[in-house]
Amino acid sequence: MRILVQKYGGTSVMGLERMRLVLARVQKAHVEGYKLVVALSAMSGVTNRLLAQAREFSANPDPAELDVLVTTGEQASVALFSMLAKDAGLRARSLLGFQIPITTNSNFSRARIMDIDTVRVKAMLEDHDVLVVAGFQGVDCNGRLTTLGRGGSDTTGVALAAALEAEVCEIYTDVNGVYTTDPNLCSNARKLDRISYDEMLELSSQGAKVLQIRSVELAKKFNVPVRVRSTFTDDPGTLVTLEDTEMEDVLVSGIAYDKDQCRITVRNVMDRPGVAASIFAPIAEAGILVDMIIQNTGRDGRTDMTFTISRANLDKTLAILEHLRPVIGCEDIQHDIHVCKVSVIGVGMRSHSGVASTMFTLLKKENINILMIATSEIKITCLIEEKYVELAVRTLHDAFGLSEGPAKACP
Ligand code: ADP
Ligand code: ASP
Ligand code: MG
C-alpha cells in the first residue's frame, strides 16, 4: 500500500472554494494510486477566536476544557472536507484524534504524542481512499482531549507519516515553501529547494512558524522527508531532509525572527550556589519555557539574572518571581515586552567563523542595540528592540546575500 500524508493549514481550508482546491490535490494523488491520510487544521482565525472567547468566560480557563474547546475548530474542518470528498465519489471518512487514537501525555495545550494506533489506521485504509484526520489534537490516557501546541497540525501530519511509514509528508500552506526568511516580511526572500532538518529546527525554534518545531523534531528522528509547498500554486516547494556536503558549503541559509518575546531581569539577587535553581525550577514546574538566560558577573555578593519567555507567560512568571522574592533576596523585578529575537542560521557555521561578528557589525551600522546574545553551533541570536525587527531582518538578509543565492562567505 502506497501511503501519502498531506497536511493542509488554516488558509488552505478556509471556505468551500479553497477546500475544493484541496480536494483536487487529494483526487490527483488518489488517481496516482496512493492511499491518503489528510490532516487538516481549523480554518484560519478559528483557533484564535475560540481562545479569545474562552477568556471572555474565564480569566484563567481550565486547561483541559480549553483543549476541548479549541479542538472543535479542526473537528469542523474534517467533517466539512469529508462531506466534499464523499460527494466527489471518494471513499472518505473523518477521524478525530481520540478515534484513532493519537495518544498523548496530559500536558494540555502543549501535549506530546506518545503513540498512534497504526494497526487501526492501516485497517481503515484498506476500505477507504482517504482518511481525514483532525490535526492538532490527541487524547491522554484518561480519555481527556489534548492539543499539541500552536501550529500543532504540522506535528499531526509528520507523526502520522512516521507511524505509517508514508513515502513523504506534504505540508500545504499559503507560501511556496521554506524561504530564506519570512516572505511576508521581506519581499526578496528566496525560496529554498532543500533545507536540512537541523537548519529547519533552528528556523522553527527561532520563530519561523511555517513548520511547528515538534514536527521537525519528529521528521528528523524518524527520517521522514517533508515537502513544504503551497496549496495554491504548482511550485514543487521545499524538501526538508538530511544534511549533505553541499549544504555545509552554505554559510547562512536563513534569517528568523520571533516577536513573541518578553525580557525579565531580576536585579541584585544573592550571588551564591542555588540561586539560579531557586528561580528557574519553579518557573519550569509551572510549564513555562525559558529561552535566553544571562547571569551578570557578580559584585558585592549580588548579581542580575536576565531571561526571556513567551509573552503569554509574563503574568504567571512575574507572580512566581514575586513569591520568590524573600528566597532569592532580589531588589527589583523588571520586564520589557517590546523586544524581539533575530537569528542567523546555517550549518556552514560549524566550520566557518566570523558570522557572529558580521551580524553584530551589521546591526551596529543600523544603530540597532543588542540586548542579549545566544549562540548554538549553527545559529546566532540577538535580542533587539521590537521596533527594529523589519530593518534588522532585511539588513541581515541582504548583507548575507540571501536574495541572490546562499552566502558562501561573510560579507
Ligand atoms: P498554516 O496555516 O498553513 O499552518 P502558518 O501561518 O502556520 O501556515 O505558516 C506559514 C507562514 O509562515 C507564512 O505565511 C509565512 O508568513 C511564515 N513564515 C515565517 N518564516 C518563514 C520562512 N522562513 N519561510 C516560509 N514561511 C515563513
Ligand atoms: N489550529 C491550530 C492553530 O491555529 C493548529 C494548526 O493550525 O496547526 O494553532
Ligand atoms: Mg501552521
Side-chain angles (χ1 to χ4, degrees), residues 253-274:
S253 49
I255 314 284
Y257 66 94
D258 185 356
K259 292 187 181 179
D260 182 21
Q261 290 287 302
C262 177
R263 178 173 59 148
I264 297 184
T265 301
V266 190
R267 290 225 177 276
N268 268 340
V269 288
M270 283 180 282
D271 189 10
R272 57 165 167 72

Side-chain angles (χ1 to χ4, degrees), residues 255-257 340-344 359 380-382 384 389 392-393 396:
I255 314 284
Y257 66 94
C340 173
K341 269 192 322 188
V342 182
S343 307
V344 170
M359 180 179 188
I380 324 264
T381 300
C382 292
I384 60 170
V389 61
V393 169
L396 295 169

Side-chain angles (χ1 to χ4, degrees), residues 57 108 171 240 280 284 301 400:
F57 279 67
F108 299 108
I171 303 280
V240 188
F280 294 113
F400 279 107

Side-chain angles (χ1 to χ4, degrees), residues 50-67 69:
L50 289 167
L51 287 170
Q53 193 174 32
R55 279 189 291 272
E56 281 171 26
F57 279 67
S58 164
N60 193 13
D62 179 83
E65 299 306 344
L66 200 56
D67 275 2
L69 179 70

Side-chain angles (χ1 to χ4, degrees), residues 32 40 50-51 55 81 87 97 106 121 127 144 159 172 179 181 184 195 199 201 206 238 262 286 326 352:
E32 285 166 10
L40 299 185
L50 289 167
L51 287 170
R55 279 189 291 272
F81 184 73
D87 286 356
S106 304
V121 177
D127 43 10
R144 302 218 64 170
Y172 285 93
Y179 282 70
T181 193
N184 288 320
I195 186 166
E199 284 171 318
L201 273 176
Q206 297 311 313
T238 303
C262 177
H352 296 79

Side-chain angles (χ1 to χ4, degrees), residues 134-387:
F136 178 54
Q137 56 179 255
V139 62
D140 74 2
C141 60
N142 301 312
R144 302 218 64 170
L145 301 190
T146 56
T147 62
L148 309 177
R150 297 309 305 268
S153 301
D154 298 331
T155 300
T156 307
V158 175
L160 284 165
L164 296 166
E165 294 169 333
E167 281 180 26
V168 58
C169 179
E170 296 179 334
I171 303 280
Y172 285 93
T173 183
D174 57 356
V175 289
N176 277 342
V178 180
Y179 282 70
T180 46
T181 193
D182 185 349
N184 288 320
L185 186 104
C186 185
S187 56
N188 55 0
R190 187 174 43 85
K191 199 207 73 178
L192 300 163
D193 294 332
R194 289 181 320 143
I195 186 166
S196 70
Y197 291 123
D198 284 344
E199 284 171 318
M200 195 62 236
L201 273 176
E202 291 285 12
L203 274 177
S204 295
S205 74
Q206 297 311 313
K209 65 173 185 160
V210 62
L211 282 179
Q212 196 202 34
I213 183 163
R214 283 191 191 162
S215 71
V216 191
E217 283 167 1
L218 280 179
K220 182 181 175 190
K221 186 167 171 193
F222 295 101
N223 206 1
V224 179
V226 174
R227 188 167 285 283
V228 179
R229 52 186 305 192
S230 167
T231 305
F232 312 108
T233 71
D234 286 327
D235 193 289
T238 303
L239 184 66
V240 188
T241 181
L242 286 172
E243 187 176 324
D244 60 33
T245 45
E246 211 176 290
M247 289 175 179
E248 281 161 25
D249 286 346
V250 179
L251 188 59
V252 171
S253 49
I255 314 284
Y257 66 94
D258 185 356
K259 292 187 181 179
D260 182 21
Q261 290 287 302
C262 177
R263 178 173 59 148
I264 297 184
T265 301
V266 190
R267 290 225 177 276
N268 268 340
V269 288
M270 283 180 282
D271 189 10
R272 57 165 167 72
V275 167
S278 320
I279 295 176
F280 294 113
I283 293 177
E285 272 158 34
I288 296 167
L289 280 182
V290 173
D291 190 355
M292 302 164 99
I293 303 179
I294 292 181
Q295 179 179 340
N296 284 355
T297 313
R299 59 206 167 317
D300 306 327
R302 298 267 167 179
T303 188
D304 293 343
M305 200 77 86
T306 303
F307 59 96
T308 62
I309 49 162
S310 139
R311 287 179 193 173
N313 288 323
L314 178 62
D315 291 346
K316 230 171 158 186
T317 309
L318 290 178
I320 293 172
L321 292 171
E322 277 306 326
H323 195 70
L324 287 175
R325 254 180 204 266
V327 187
I328 55 177
C330 75
E331 216 167 64
D332 196 13
I333 300 166
Q334 297 173 341
H335 70 269
D336 184 357
I337 57 164
H338 302 293
V339 292
C340 173
K341 269 192 322 188
V342 182
S343 307
V344 170
I345 291 148
V347 284
M349 282 185 217
R350 286 202 184 109
S351 45
H352 296 79
S353 57
V355 178
S357 63
T358 308
M359 180 179 188
F360 304 154
T361 308
L362 291 166
L363 293 177
K364 180 194 133 210
K365 276 191 196 149
E366 297 299 333
N367 222 5
I368 299 172
N369 192 27
I370 300 171
L371 307 170
M372 292 172 88
I373 299 169
T375 59
S376 80
E377 225 189 345
I378 63 164
K379 169 206 79 185
I380 324 264
T381 300
C382 292
L383 193 78
I384 60 170
E385 278 183 75
E386 189 186 359
K387 63 182 178 190

